[in-house]
Amino acid sequence: IGAGQVRIDPGMKTREDTNIDFSHRQWLAEPFCEHIMRFRIRADRPADAQLVPHQMNPYREHERRPLRLTKEWQTVEIRPDRVDLPTELGVAINLAMTGTPVELDSLEILRNGEIDRRFQPMSPYWVEYQMNRHGLRGRDLAIPKPKGIQRVVCLGDSFTFGQGVHEADTFSAILERSLNEGNLGDRAKGVEVLNAGRCGYSTYEERAILDRYVVQYEPDLVVLQMNDNDNENHTNLIGKPNPTTYPALVEEAKAIKARVESIGVKFAILLFRVSYLTGGWKELHAALSAMPTGTIIVDVGQRVDPHLALGREGFFSFCVHPIDGHPNEKGHRFAAEALKEAIDEHRLLQRANE
């Protein structure tokens, strides 16, 4: 959550392309308290939007309300329903428009009329997200790709996006810096890494945006990030039921791999784990055995496992927040290191003298 400018591509039509989601897991609502989210918003031209307050555990949308965006700054207040148990509250802004930059500023969370200082800018858990013209996290990259540049595209969900993590600390950003250190040693002009992760995605949605956005960036390597919550039972963001079995997810991964390799691009899978203490991780590993022989699978869990010997303390040392199990900068650093080693070992990027 944070201030910044979000650009909506003119070709965007579906829900997953038109949501600015503030549902940060660090906003913990306390029972029987009145909570208010307050922020300022404007657009470059008048447009219609919709505010969607919701809560997690279990997920439930509260009453939606229309919002007319104008060129002038306006202050918006969201008052979610009171809750009788601790829960995670959020607000999504569903934009019924295309091609208009939207600016957000001065986000505040109030509890019983008092500003909650935990969610002020520069607080320990304050994170700002910068989005490019395709709604992907990070800066805009040139299209077509400049001569001599190599590109890595990381497809994934909120783990790739970096929910709760500063942009410079995402594994995509760390990997880019690592690959470019010392002018890559013997690589060409440079490597750019595109963060194509989106919160709430599974392999269904990741496959859908592969042709919509990723191909035009002319990647040399596509990394598909998967984890063991990809099979959550819900209707996904492209309007289809989410696969609820790991074999079904792997079939989508196979289709992504085939499409990527059909255009001469290399492919690898990056595994994060969510349910460290449950059987889902083992089930996903078993299902991935059906991937074609030679598929490169980079397992971040192998780096994390030694730290889990500390139990809950070890687990939460990799989380962005005590009530948010997304990986923090430490987990992202482990992922970047594992990917860098795999790229070097399997020669997934071309070197200058090749």
Side-chain angles (χ1 to χ4, degrees):
I1 55 179
Q5 188 176 74
V6 179
R7 292 187 178 275
I8 307 301
D9 184 84
M12 294 179 177
K13 301 292 184 184
T14 56
R15 178 176 177 267
E16 82 274 14
D17 292 321
T18 56
N19 258 9
I20 305 174
D21 195 354
F22 288 103
S23 59
H24 203 284
R25 302 282 175 104
Q26 294 165 5
W27 181 13
L28 181 63
E30 297 182 8
F32 310 110
C33 292
E34 181 183 56
H35 296 86
I36 299 175
M37 171 181 275
R38 185 165 64 199
F39 58 90
R40 298 196 311 148
I41 188 169
R42 64 166 298 277
D44 277 7
R45 64 171 181 263
D48 292 315
Q50 192 176 51
L51 298 173
V52 190
H54 54 268
Q55 69 182 54
M56 309 296 291
N57 302 327
Y59 180 85
R60 180 173 70 87
E61 287 188 0
H62 296 193
E63 183 178 357
R64 299 187 176 206
R65 55 181 271 199
L67 175 65
R68 180 64 175 173
L69 300 178
T70 67
K71 294 182 180 181
E72 303 299 322
W73 285 101
Q74 61 178 304
T75 299
V76 176
E77 287 192 352
I78 306 294
R79 298 172 181 263
D81 298 342
R82 291 194 180 199
V83 296
D84 55 8
L85 291 172
T87 188
E88 300 158 8
L89 292 178
V91 177
I93 305 176
N94 196 328
L95 299 173
M97 59 165 188
T98 58
T100 298
V102 175
E103 291 183 280
L104 303 146
D105 191 19
S106 303
L107 177 63
E108 296 177 329
I109 306 296
L110 290 83
R111 185 174 68 247
N112 289 339
E114 298 290 333
I115 294 177
D116 190 335
R117 298 297 175 185
R118 294 174 298 173
F119 302 101
Q120 293 304 291
M122 306 309 295
S123 72
Y125 300 115
W126 182 270
V127 176
E128 294 190 4
Y129 299 145
Q130 175 189 359
M131 314 298 283
N132 72 10
R133 64 187 180 277
H134 289 139
L136 304 175
R137 188 171 186 185
R139 69 191 189 280
D140 275 313
L141 300 181
I143 299 176
K145 180 176 66 176
K147 184 176 181 180
I149 292 292
Q150 295 183 86
R151 278 185 181 158
V152 180
V153 173
C154 299
L155 283 173
D157 56 19
S158 54
F159 281 53
T160 295
F161 179 87
Q163 178 166 312
V165 177
H166 295 287
E167 186 173 329
D169 295 327
T170 62
F171 74 78
S172 297
I174 297 171
L175 178 64
E176 182 176 280
R177 293 195 300 271
S178 177
L179 290 171
N180 286 295
E181 283 179 356
N183 197 26
L184 311 180
D186 55 353
R187 287 194 180 94
K189 289 185 177 180
V191 177
E192 297 174 339
V193 180
L194 176 68
N195 184 340
R198 285 185 168 179
C199 297
Y201 271 28
S202 74
T203 45
Y204 267 20
E205 292 103 327
E206 289 147 12
R207 181 182 175 189
I209 68 168
L210 178 63
D211 282 311
R212 184 182 298 181
Y213 301 126
V214 170
V215 171
Q216 62 186 293
Y217 284 97
E218 303 175 72
D220 300 276
L221 168 65
V222 170
V223 176
L224 173 64
Q225 172 258 312
M226 300 179 68
N227 60 44
D228 48 321
N229 75 347
D230 284 344
N231 68 330
E232 289 181 345
N233 186 12
H234 67 277
T235 299
N236 64 34
L237 299 177
I238 56 174
K240 296 180 180 179
N242 230 34
T244 57
T245 67
Y246 293 116
L249 290 167
V250 170
E251 288 303 309
E252 289 297 314
K254 286 181 181 179
I256 292 174
K257 180 178 189 294
R259 172 59 177 140
V260 165
E261 293 180 343
S262 73
I263 57 175
V265 176
K266 295 181 180 179
F267 176 83
I269 292 175
L270 174 70
L271 292 182
F272 266 115
R273 64 165 61 180
V274 178
S275 51
Y276 288 89
L277 306 177
T278 70
W281 187 243
K282 293 181 179 179
E283 293 178 31
L284 178 58
H285 265 276
L288 284 168
S289 65
M291 289 296 295
T293 302
T295 300
I296 297 169
I297 299 178
V298 183
D299 186 355
V300 181
Q302 294 178 356
R303 292 173 179 261
V304 174
D305 283 343
H307 299 269
L308 298 183
L310 298 174
R312 289 177 60 85
E313 180 182 348
F315 170 72
F316 285 114
S317 71
F318 291 94
C319 298
V320 297
H321 190 272
I323 63 168
D324 188 334
H326 285 87
N328 59 16
E329 64 278 2
K330 185 188 299 183
H332 278 263
R333 185 174 70 251
F334 280 174
E337 291 170 353
L339 276 174
K340 173 64 163 54
E341 290 179 6
I343 288 171
D344 289 341
E345 177 184 353
H346 299 284
R347 305 182 78 81
L348 297 177
L349 292 177
Q350 187 177 12
R351 297 180 181 274
N353 57 1
E354 294 177 337

